[in-house]
Amino acid sequence: METNFQRLVEHWPLSPIGGALFPLFEAISNAIHALKESHNSDPRIEVILQRDEEQAVLSGDEFQGQSPILSFKITDNGVGFTNAHMKAFNEIASSYKENIGIGGKGVGRLSWLKAFEEVTVDSKFKQDDKIFERQFQFSLPSGIHSETSRQISLPVTGTAVNLLKSLPKFRDRIPRKIDNLAREICRHFMPVLISPSPPKITLVDGADRLEINLSDYSSVANEPFEIGEVKFTAHHIRIRSPYERAHAVSICADGRAVRTKKIDSIPNHRLKDEYGDFYYHCYVTGSYLDQRVSGQRTSIDLPDEPSLIEPISYQALDDEIDGLVQNHLRPYIEEARLIRASEVELVIKREYPEYRYLVTGTNDETENIPLGSSAKDIVDHLAIAHARRLSHGRARLEATLQKFEHSGEIDSKKIVQEFDAVYLESIKAHQSSLIGYLLFRKKIIELYEKVIGRSGDKFEREAAVHSLIFPRHSSVSGHRDFDDNNLWLIDERLTFANFIDSDRDISKHAALFEVSSGNEPDIACYFSFAFSTDDSLDDLREVVIVELKRPGPLPSREEHPYTQVIRYIRNIREGKWSENGPKN
């Protein structure tokens, strides 16, 4: 089976936004793996920057006159490109690193050609007690080409990978300041840099050399802890990179973050100390974890819960780490709790007083609201909590009623006690719903008053008031919601009419047929409620006509409102009624 290498690279999912440095990270990662294989006592990596001096130099404050980075040269004093490495490099999705216990998917090098025009490799390696030098090029469309290999007399091994001519869309996203670049390398390789005997990584930019020092870009505090007799270390790190987006905990093994979880007990925004803004990340390491990590470095052999056989578990680790995190960030968490309580109080006081019952007494919902929640998030949380309590209260009440229905002899005192307990639990939720509805009505009345007070044109004012009470040129009938209008502004009972027509010709009213009238009452409400077992639901019991008129002297009107309404009544009486009449 043949592989179209160029199309494979073209479809490689790498975006300049957020992924511009991924090819560099991949090259550094390969260097780290080569150093690990070599067991070098002085592991070193150099990243040499080559800038595009031909491009016009930007003079803005953002880049301070620095040209964009055109190419990278990544060197290491690791094991080099042995024959086994070369075979693996020439194989897409190679399992070589997985087989030797380093991990990796064997495809990361494709990112080099996604962001750079060409890659060259110059490597010195030991084979059969001899030192060889291997050179080759890696580019589209075919991949590896121009490979040479020869024996040399130098007694050193190592590799130089040249990522040449970055593509413009990626080049524009690469940080130009050497300090910012060092910060991102530090952030990405944090598990490696906190491990024992990490490699020394140095950036070279012309005459400037910058050795990456973890403490220069992040505040680090190491805290040993034990579970049983097993020792671990929690590395509390405050990452100051602008690209960091969350507080998290990572369980690490062999210099790699194996499992990372977001911390929900901290507000999901940057915290601040005397050195500036940061995101908090806790990295947990220990020889016990190194011994139990899988060959692919994607999982650690730990049970979910502790047992007599396996006292160390993810649950035990998570519980211990959570306590360490809470203690380390206590001032920030306490401040966030105060802010949350204040925000909840403002939301309830200013907008949703009906939710007051949710944050008082023994069932205070405040602690369940995530720290750092916005006002909208708080409202959403309280609304869900309110709905949950309504449902729970109704379910308990129904269960209590069914319990006594199926019981034999009834103890009235016990009934009262149990009913009181259920009633007291659910009444507050239902009272809250009523308060919320009343406040909603209050807002509708305020809107009604503004429409009356601010509409300039008299006709528009009357039409606006009409639409607010009930939509014009519309009708409702049959089974429906009772919140599709504001007829309660006139009379609460109108809301429950069986048929309602608004600003429509009487001949088109759904409740009538055989009517020839062309008159249009503002609102007509038809009632067919049965009031006894002898009554028929097909009987028209009542019709209420609503006419909306702006204030003014009656003599100046074309028709007296009373006369107008009487005319409508006569038109309606001419017709026939049936709930299931012949009309469509």
Side-chain angles (χ1 to χ4, degrees):
M1 180 182 293
E2 295 184 357
T3 300
N4 188 324
F5 184 75
Q6 179 151 345
R7 284 186 61 81
L8 189 65
V9 172
E10 289 173 352
H11 288 81
W12 181 254
L14 182 67
S15 169
I17 302 175
L21 290 177
F22 186 85
L24 174 62
F25 293 159
E26 176 64 19
I28 295 175
S29 181
N30 288 344
I32 292 171
H33 294 161
L35 289 167
K36 186 170 184 179
E37 280 191 75
S38 71
H39 303 289
N40 196 317
S41 60
D42 181 26
R44 288 176 280 109
I45 297 172
E46 276 195 354
V47 179
I48 303 169
L49 284 54
Q50 179 187 343
R51 296 188 179 273
D52 185 3
E53 302 297 346
E54 295 181 0
Q55 181 173 318
V57 178
L58 296 176
S59 59
D61 292 336
E62 182 181 359
F63 301 134
Q64 295 183 348
Q66 292 180 318
S67 300
I69 296 174
L70 182 65
S71 304
F72 290 104
K73 182 178 182 179
I74 301 93
T75 69
D76 67 72
N77 58 343
V79 70
F81 257 79
T82 66
N83 293 339
H85 289 102
M86 194 62 205
K87 180 182 178 181
F89 192 90
N90 205 21
E91 179 184 346
I92 300 299
S94 167
S95 60
Y96 173 77
K97 289 185 179 181
E98 179 182 325
N99 293 337
I100 65 174
I102 292 178
K105 299 179 181 178
V107 292
R109 61 192 177 280
L110 298 181
S111 67
W112 293 350
L113 300 184
K114 188 76 173 182
F116 292 85
E117 289 187 13
E118 184 183 14
V119 178
T120 65
V121 177
D122 185 348
S123 181
K124 299 172 181 61
F125 63 96
K126 189 174 183 179
Q127 194 82 32
D128 299 326
D129 294 325
K130 299 175 183 178
I131 302 297
F132 292 84
E133 180 181 45
R134 172 175 279 125
Q135 295 178 331
F136 64 89
Q137 294 178 325
F138 184 55
S139 61
L140 295 176
S142 57
I144 298 172
H145 62 93
S146 305
E147 181 188 353
T148 63
S149 180
R150 64 188 180 93
Q151 185 177 344
I152 60 175
S153 58
L154 292 175
V156 294
T157 61
T159 301
V161 174
N162 295 278
L163 306 179
L164 302 174
K165 299 179 183 178
S166 55
L167 300 179
K169 62 182 180 180
F170 285 89
R171 186 185 313 159
D172 294 340
R173 294 281 178 175
I174 296 173
R176 298 190 186 185
K177 292 183 181 180
I178 188 173
D179 190 64
N180 290 344
L181 189 59
R183 178 182 288 110
E184 294 316 304
I185 293 173
C186 181
R187 179 179 73 93
H188 187 83
F189 292 100
M190 191 70 71
V192 173
L193 296 175
I194 63 175
S195 64
S197 303
K200 183 172 73 172
I201 303 177
T202 304
L203 299 185
V204 181
D205 185 12
D208 297 329
R209 295 179 65 86
L210 176 62
E211 182 179 338
I212 293 180
N213 190 331
L214 185 61
S215 61
D216 290 340
Y217 304 100
S218 303
S219 302
V220 182
N222 299 325
E223 184 177 5
F225 68 96
E226 295 183 9
I227 300 178
E229 297 181 355
V230 180
K231 296 180 179 180
F232 301 91
T233 301
H235 306 268
H236 303 286
I237 299 179
R238 301 182 181 188
I239 300 176
R240 306 188 190 279
S241 166
Y243 297 96
E244 194 71 19
R245 292 291 182 268
H247 306 287
V249 170
S250 292
I251 308 297
C252 303
D254 280 349
R256 180 172 296 187
V258 178
R259 190 197 72 166
T260 297
K261 290 178 62 177
K262 181 182 174 183
I263 302 175
D264 295 325
S265 59
I266 309 175
N268 191 26
H269 57 70
R270 293 183 180 276
L271 304 178
K272 190 171 184 177
D273 60 14
E274 64 271 25
Y275 301 108
D277 296 341
F278 68 90
Y279 273 103
Y280 169 82
H281 204 125
C282 179
Y283 293 90
V284 180
T285 61
S287 58
Y288 185 85
L289 301 173
D290 296 339
Q291 296 165 8
R292 288 178 168 257
V293 70
S294 65
Q296 298 88 345
R297 301 302 188 267
T298 56
S299 64
I300 298 175
D301 183 21
L302 291 178
D304 290 333
E305 298 180 358
S307 66
L308 293 175
I309 300 175
E310 293 283 356
I312 308 299
S313 65
Y314 274 122
Q315 180 183 320
L317 261 179
D318 289 341
D319 290 346
E320 187 70 25
I321 294 166
D322 184 61
L324 296 175
V325 170
Q326 295 289 323
N327 186 61
H328 183 77
L329 296 177
R330 188 175 303 281
Y332 300 98
I333 295 174
E334 289 179 353
E335 180 183 7
R337 283 175 174 164
L338 291 174
I339 293 173
R340 177 183 61 187
S342 177
E343 290 293 329
V344 170
E345 176 62 25
L346 282 176
V347 165
I348 291 175
K349 186 175 181 180
R350 293 179 178 178
E351 302 179 65
Y352 295 91
E354 64 268 32
Y355 293 149
R356 171 69 62 188
Y357 84 100
L358 289 170
V359 297
T360 57
T362 56
N363 295 322
D364 191 343
E365 194 68 31
T366 304
E367 283 300 315
N368 296 326
I369 299 173
L371 294 173
S373 295
S374 65
K376 181 182 180 301
D377 293 336
I378 292 171
V379 171
D380 291 344
H381 182 96
L382 293 176
I384 292 171
H386 171 64
R388 186 170 57 246
R389 295 196 187 191
L390 277 175
S391 176
H392 181 68
R394 290 173 183 171
R396 280 200 63 189
L397 185 58
E398 179 65 26
T400 302
L401 291 174
Q402 289 185 2
K403 174 183 177 181
F404 289 116
E405 281 181 5
H406 296 90
S407 62
E409 186 177 347
I410 295 178
D411 185 341
S412 58
K413 185 177 180 180
K414 186 176 181 181
I415 290 178
V416 171
Q417 289 176 343
E418 292 198 22
F419 177 79
D420 283 350
V422 175
Y423 174 80
L424 290 173
E425 179 182 333
S426 61
I427 188 61
K428 290 183 179 180
H430 290 279
Q431 286 175 339
S432 173
S433 296
L434 178 58
I435 293 170
Y437 185 49
L438 293 175
L439 290 171
F440 168 77
R441 288 190 170 192
K442 181 175 179 290
K443 293 293 183 183
I444 293 295
I445 293 172
E446 290 175 2
L447 179 60
Y448 175 80
E449 291 172 345
K450 288 179 180 179
V451 168
I452 293 176
R454 296 188 181 182
S455 297
D457 183 86
K458 292 182 178 180
F459 176 77
E460 288 185 0
R461 184 187 309 170
E462 185 175 326
V465 170
H466 186 146
S467 296
L468 183 62
I469 294 173
F470 198 99
R472 300 177 67 209
H473 311 297
S474 64
S475 65
V476 294
S477 60
H479 300 289
R480 60 184 178 83
D481 295 330
F482 292 102
D483 57 357
D484 50 10
N485 62 76
N486 292 308
L487 282 168
W488 53 266
L489 285 166
I490 300 170
D491 191 317
E492 193 81 47
R493 292 169 295 180
L494 300 182
T495 303
F496 301 98
N498 297 77
F499 296 87
I500 305 175
D501 281 270
S502 173
D503 219 9
R504 280 164 41 90
D505 192 312
I506 292 176
S507 63
K508 297 180 179 179
H509 286 194
L512 302 173
F513 57 95
E514 295 186 13
V515 179
S516 59
S517 168
N519 295 311
E520 299 180 356
D522 284 345
I523 301 173
C525 302
Y526 296 87
F527 294 84
S528 61
F529 295 128
F531 296 101
S532 72
T533 55
D534 297 328
D535 292 334
S536 170
L537 286 173
D538 289 335
D539 292 338
L540 179 61
R541 293 294 175 181
E542 184 178 339
V543 179
V544 177
I545 295 175
V546 178
E547 278 297 308
L548 303 170
K549 301 296 180 184
R550 58 181 178 272
L554 293 177
S556 63
R557 300 178 184 272
E558 294 181 2
E559 184 178 16
H560 195 289
Y562 176 78
T563 306
Q564 188 178 0
V565 171
I566 292 298
R567 176 162 48 85
Y568 294 153
I569 293 174
R570 288 172 179 164
N571 295 149
I572 291 172
R573 282 179 171 175
E574 289 176 2
K576 296 181 180 179
W577 153 269
S578 174
E579 187 174 26
N580 300 308
K583 290 194 168 189
N584 294 326

